Amino acid sequence: KLKNEVVDIRERQNCMITALKPKIDVALMEDAVCKSVDNSDRVKYAVAAACIHVLWAFATGSVKCCQNQKWKGPDPVGSKKRLVALIQALDGLQGFVQRSSTFLLKNWEPTKRHEVAHNGPLLNAVFPSPTSVSSVLEDYDELKNNVLAFRLFFDLHSKEAPKSDHLRRFSNYALTKKLENKMSNVVTTLRGKGLTICPELHQAALEMFKNLCVH
């Protein structure tokens, strides 16, 4: 009887893990982006939303995914703070892309985002750390170990991210060039993962980020 109960628990756990996995992937991307941005939670939410959509455009090869995107955070139109935060966000996005599989990147979709995924709450709730107790749920333990490895990488990667105080010393022109370079780095990394990104899509993604600074 006990054996059957354990099997039943593991089967239910497998179903939960399968359902949660897409949400966890998006939460990890947001975690990577937010750790690279030293600004308010509202700004982090805005740049994470931008990264979700630009990655969707790259995954689908659709220029339309880059169109009509609006800034979802504070700061006035044309604010240097927006430009600085978007540069930092692309740095975090590149870190996420480096750690992600080609399958995950090619199947990226913004509808998989969980409403509490932003900035870590979902990950902290589902995968509390540290823990000294090893569960009997092997699939959960494997996913948890992978998530913790991802987040540790993001912690280290974010330490090398450009800080806002430093970036704000540059002119808007110089910052725009940095934004272009960061986007190019993301595109290069994605191509290395096997994604096909044409020059038109690359330019559309860049224009989307530039427009977020002025709309």
Side-chain angles (χ1 to χ4, degrees):
K1 182 179 178 180
L2 179 60
K3 182 179 179 180
N4 290 337
E5 289 179 351
V6 170
V7 170
D8 182 58
I9 290 173
R10 294 185 68 171
E11 288 178 349
R12 294 185 183 185
Q13 171 260 340
N14 286 337
C15 291
M16 289 187 290
I17 291 300
T18 300
L20 272 174
K21 186 63 168 64
K23 312 294 184 185
I24 296 301
D25 291 335
V26 179
L28 281 170
M29 192 229 69
E30 295 199 57
D31 194 46
V33 169
C34 291
K35 284 178 176 176
S36 293
V37 179
D38 55 349
N39 210 309
S40 69
D41 281 350
R42 289 180 63 196
V43 171
K44 290 179 179 181
Y45 177 86
V47 295
C51 287
I52 287 174
H53 279 279
V54 81
L55 196 53
W56 189 32
F58 290 144
T60 59
S62 173
V63 171
K64 290 183 179 180
C65 294
C66 298
Q67 298 173 349
N68 302 318
Q69 296 300 319
K70 302 294 184 182
W71 177 254
K72 295 180 172 61
D75 299 331
V77 170
S79 170
K80 181 180 284 190
K81 289 182 180 180
R82 290 193 191 183
L83 189 52
V84 166
L86 287 166
I87 291 170
Q88 293 178 314
L90 285 176
D91 192 88
L93 179 60
Q94 185 181 1
F96 174 76
V97 170
Q98 287 175 348
R99 288 285 302 186
S100 298
S101 67
T102 298
F103 178 83
L104 186 159
L105 296 170
K106 285 187 174 182
N107 290 277
W108 187 261
E109 187 181 342
T111 58
K112 295 174 181 176
R113 184 186 184 277
H114 192 280
E115 62 182 8
V116 298
H118 170 65
N119 208 13
L122 177 66
L123 298 174
N124 294 336
V126 178
F127 306 106
S129 177
T131 176
S132 60
V133 180
S134 178
S135 75
V136 297
L137 306 178
E138 295 176 1
D139 291 343
Y140 169 84
D141 287 342
E142 181 180 358
L143 180 58
K144 177 178 178 177
N145 289 336
N146 289 337
V147 166
L148 294 180
F150 261 75
R151 300 188 80 186
L152 177 60
F153 174 82
F154 300 151
D155 285 338
L156 297 174
H157 182 85
S158 65
K159 290 180 180 180
E160 303 298 324
K163 304 306 177 186
S164 58
D165 287 344
H166 172 72
L167 289 173
R168 282 197 291 268
R169 299 173 186 172
F170 293 89
S171 67
N172 278 16
Y173 175 81
L175 288 173
T176 300
K177 289 298 180 182
K178 288 181 179 293
L179 183 74
E180 292 173 357
N181 290 336
K182 288 292 183 183
M183 184 64 77
S184 293
N185 290 341
V186 171
V187 168
T188 299
T189 306
L190 284 167
R191 286 173 175 160
K193 292 283 185 173
L195 275 71
T196 301
I197 301 172
C198 66
E200 292 78 12
L201 179 56
H202 180 173
Q203 185 61 33
L206 180 59
E207 290 303 317
M208 169 190 156
F209 268 61
K210 287 181 178 180
N211 289 336
L212 288 173
C213 295
V214 295
H215 292 294

